[in-house]
Amino acid sequence: MLNWRQRRTGVKALSAALMAFVALTVGNAQAAISFSTDFESATALTEDNWAGYINFFSPDCSSYIGGYSYTISNSGPQVAALAPGASSQVANIYSDYDNPDQANGCLETNVYQQVAIAAGDEGTYEFTYDVELPPDPANVGTAVNGFIKVLSNDFSATLDSVAQASTAGTKTLTITITSDMVGGWLQF
């Protein structure tokens, strides 16, 4: 769904992006993967099983060093929390400030849905999401992106990936799942 990369700047960014609505819809009747949320439930992040992964890069954000999965909660304290937005409740995505390596490198926060791709899921999908950036530009990460990714079944290869910078407003990404992707993983 979103990844957020922050270089160490000496200032803690409080928010990367606030998501108000997310939907994955299919462009043809045969495909079977569907997801939608408006984040209005008090437990929207956990009841919808959002996943988190933190990638750690060199201080200039160019060399991958490692990463770890992160359990998403509805109230933080790190990575994601439900929060009031301009007109509705939103998912607030931000860095893992408890990670001591933040001072020595670049952390990339990924918060996403993950679905196993089965036979019959082939088709073209649209991922639509609303972005509300924090009012203070100093609180926005150095790179905020929406994404759709198809990974091999053992996560060793990226079969397809689409990303888009997330400025404020409604965004749409499109991806086509083909028969050679069956058995892999869809992340959005």
Side-chain angles (χ1 to χ4, degrees), residues 1-62:
M1 177 178 94
L2 270 185
N3 70 30
W4 178 59
R5 187 175 284 187
Q6 179 191 14
R7 288 191 171 125
R8 180 71 179 149
T9 61
V11 176
K12 253 189 200 182
L14 299 177
S15 305
L18 306 173
M19 303 298 293
F21 172 78
V22 174
L24 181 74
T25 57
V26 63
N28 58 327
Q30 299 91 329
I33 301 170
S34 180
F35 178 82
S36 175
T37 187
D38 61 8
F39 298 111
E40 288 302 317
S41 165
T43 57
L45 292 171
T46 54
E47 72 189 38
D48 289 337
N49 298 309
W50 289 95
Y53 198 85
I54 310 296
N55 289 314
F56 182 61
F57 294 85
S58 59
D60 66 356
C61 298
S62 65

Side-chain angles (χ1 to χ4, degrees), residues 56-111:
F56 182 61
F57 294 85
S58 59
D60 66 356
C61 298
S62 65
S63 298
Y64 182 74
I65 296 171
Y68 54 94
S69 61
Y70 195 93
T71 302
I72 300 299
S73 75
N74 294 301
S75 58
Q78 303 305 335
V79 179
L82 295 170
S87 61
S88 65
Q89 183 166 274
V90 297
N92 186 2
I93 312 300
Y94 45 94
S95 190
D96 179 7
Y97 295 116
D98 287 339
N99 184 329
D101 288 329
Q102 179 148 330
N104 306 314
C106 181
L107 296 181
E108 177 187 79
T109 302
N110 294 278
V111 176

